[in-house]
Amino acid sequence: MRNDTSSVSTLNWEQYSHLVEEVSVPARTVLLREGDVATNAYFVKKGCLRVWFNNDGKDVTFQFFFEDQGVSSIESFRSGKPSLFSIESIEPSTLWVISKINLDVLIREIPGYQELMQDHILQRMNHYARLFMSHIKHNPEERYLELMAESPHIIRRVPQHYVASYLGITPVSLSRIRNKLMRQKK
Amino acid sequence: MRNDTSSVSTLNWEQYSHLVEEVSVPARTVLLREGDVATNAYFVKKGCLRVWFNNDGKDVTFQFFFEDQGVSSIESFRSGKPSLFSIESIEPSTLWVISKINLDVLIREIPGYQELMQDHILQRMNHYARLFMSHIKHNPEERYLELMAESPHIIRRVPQHYVASYLGITPVSLSRIRNKLMRQKK
DNA sequence: GGGGCACGATAACAATTGTTAACAAATAAC
DNA sequence: GTTATTTGTTAACAATTGTTATCGTGCCCC
């Protein structure tokens, strides 16, 4: 399996308005369905998204996107093969949508795109490496505390059962961990 | 924390013998100690290495390297800052060692080094992403079975307690999982 | 070949997590 | 406003994992 969701570096999208379309969607709207071929890339203007795949009938959420982040299935986008995951809105969201064809134009228009992309991939590599290392060195409670410290916006805006999935535990277990931490705090 | 061990793509090291030195080390030899600044990069000719860091007095092993793979702390190497992890031999090993200065020369001599590096980083990103996703979708037993299927050489050559650490569980638990799988097989 | 060390299996017990189900509370849909 | 749906909490029980300790084996070193 190849995983490669990708947040395109911050750009001033307004100036490329001839190539991108602004779209508003309600909460829980699927933008790309697992198994379909990606034809668009998205950039979050307002709201948030999650990326997930089906594992024996259960959602596994492995990434969240918020304002000023871009997301697409690069692999499906480039290869034309079915995407291995779905992209879905969590909150009602406003997005810039760009088609594959227009993105190719855009790439030629942006100076230093290669370098942007290189930096971006290096950043993502470090992100995943840290996630992996967090899992082998911390237990679920510690991972939750780490997430609270490093990404409080995720805790604040993402429904708890998606956070549980992201932490690799069940919603019930996360609820218990929160309960335990609350009791300790008092 | 920044994580960036890196296996340089396969190269014919013999032809660069004026820049690299061949060194043999016994098992359990530390090549780079956590906290020290990296001055060398290594390439495994024979044997295997592990990369680990100290977490509250306990080893956490998060990567293994075998024949024809290169390893260094790129970050420490580039920035001159202390390395966040140690590199240590598991088996008696023969390595090609290259100094920072000579690597810079080498980089200029290798045609298409940038592209090699780009590919390499993309590969590593996918590797870490898969490791992370494996952790949130599988339990320890499933992860062990996956490791057996995808990296049997790790199971074969790496001491079990390092494998346990890599899987994010205790040696005792891994021993139980193996015992359970053996009993099921009969 | 004796002594230490690394490695792995197992036992006993505590702690955590998964599973299933029932029940609130909040939100969305009509 | 009433009805569904989604989300979160809690309980009860099973299963798994962590912790600590003991034991045995194999290996290296002197």
Side-chain angles (χ1 to χ4, degrees), chain A residues 1-3 118 126 130, chain B residues 1-3 118 126 130:
Chain A
M1 176 172 30
R2 205 166 145 85
N3 175 271
Q118 171 105 3
N126 277 312
R130 290 187 52 177
Chain B
M1 180 171 26
R2 206 166 144 84
N3 176 271
Q118 169 107 1
N126 278 312
R130 289 188 55 179

Side-chain angles (χ1 to χ4, degrees), chain A:
Chain A
M1 176 172 30
R2 205 166 145 85
N3 175 271
D4 55 348
T5 58
S6 172
S7 43
V8 180
S9 302
T10 304
L11 288 171
N12 182 1
W13 287 88
E14 306 287 1
Q15 74 181 99
Y16 299 106
S17 60
H18 58 296
L19 296 172
V20 302
E21 186 190 356
E22 191 178 308
V23 172
S24 288
V25 295
R28 301 174 54 87
T29 305
V30 174
L31 302 171
L32 171 65
R33 188 176 302 281
E34 185 180 344
D36 287 356
V37 175
T39 55
N40 295 316
Y42 303 91
F43 188 85
V44 182
K45 184 182 181 184
K46 182 86 190 69
C48 68
L49 313 177
R50 72 182 178 112
V51 182
W52 63 279
F53 58 92
N54 185 296
N55 183 233
D56 295 334
K58 288 179 184 172
D59 278 37
V60 178
T61 297
F62 65 95
Q63 203 156 159
F64 304 108
F65 290 91
F66 298 87
E67 282 79 6
D68 298 328
Q69 291 185 302
V71 54
S72 76
S73 172
I74 295 186
E75 183 61 12
S76 171
F77 211 73
R78 285 193 183 155
S79 67
K81 290 179 191 164
S83 173
L84 295 168
F85 47 79
S86 295
I87 302 175
E88 185 181 318
S89 63
I90 293 176
E91 304 171 353
S93 302
T94 304
L95 311 163
W96 278 300
V97 184
I98 185 163
S99 67
K100 182 172 164 53
I101 292 167
N102 282 346
L103 185 63
D104 288 339
V105 175
L106 191 61
I107 287 168
R108 282 194 290 275
E109 284 191 14
I110 297 175
Y113 175 81
Q114 277 299 330
E115 289 70 20
L116 273 180
M117 203 57 192
Q118 171 105 3
D119 278 2
H120 170 67
I121 290 172
L122 218 120
Q123 244 182 290
R124 292 234 59 76
M125 185 193 80
N126 277 312
H127 178 68
Y128 285 124
R130 290 187 52 177
L131 285 174
F132 166 60
M133 288 167 67
S134 172
H135 270 258
I136 61 177
K137 82 188 233 202
H138 292 313
N139 62 30
E141 180 180 325
E142 291 166 335
R143 288 204 298 276
Y144 178 71
L145 289 169
E146 184 183 47
L147 191 66
M148 271 181 64
E150 294 191 359
S151 308
H153 58 288
I154 291 181
I155 309 288
R156 209 179 323 113
R157 294 173 63 180
V158 174
Q160 204 167 298
H161 61 293
Y162 296 147
V163 174
S165 174
Y166 183 72
L167 290 173
I169 58 177
T170 61
V172 177
S173 187
L174 179 53
S175 180
R176 279 191 293 233
I177 287 169
R178 283 166 49 85
N179 183 303
K180 180 185 162 196
L181 291 174
M182 291 286 285
R183 280 185 284 115
Q184 284 178 354
K185 205 173 264 180
K186 281 183 203 164

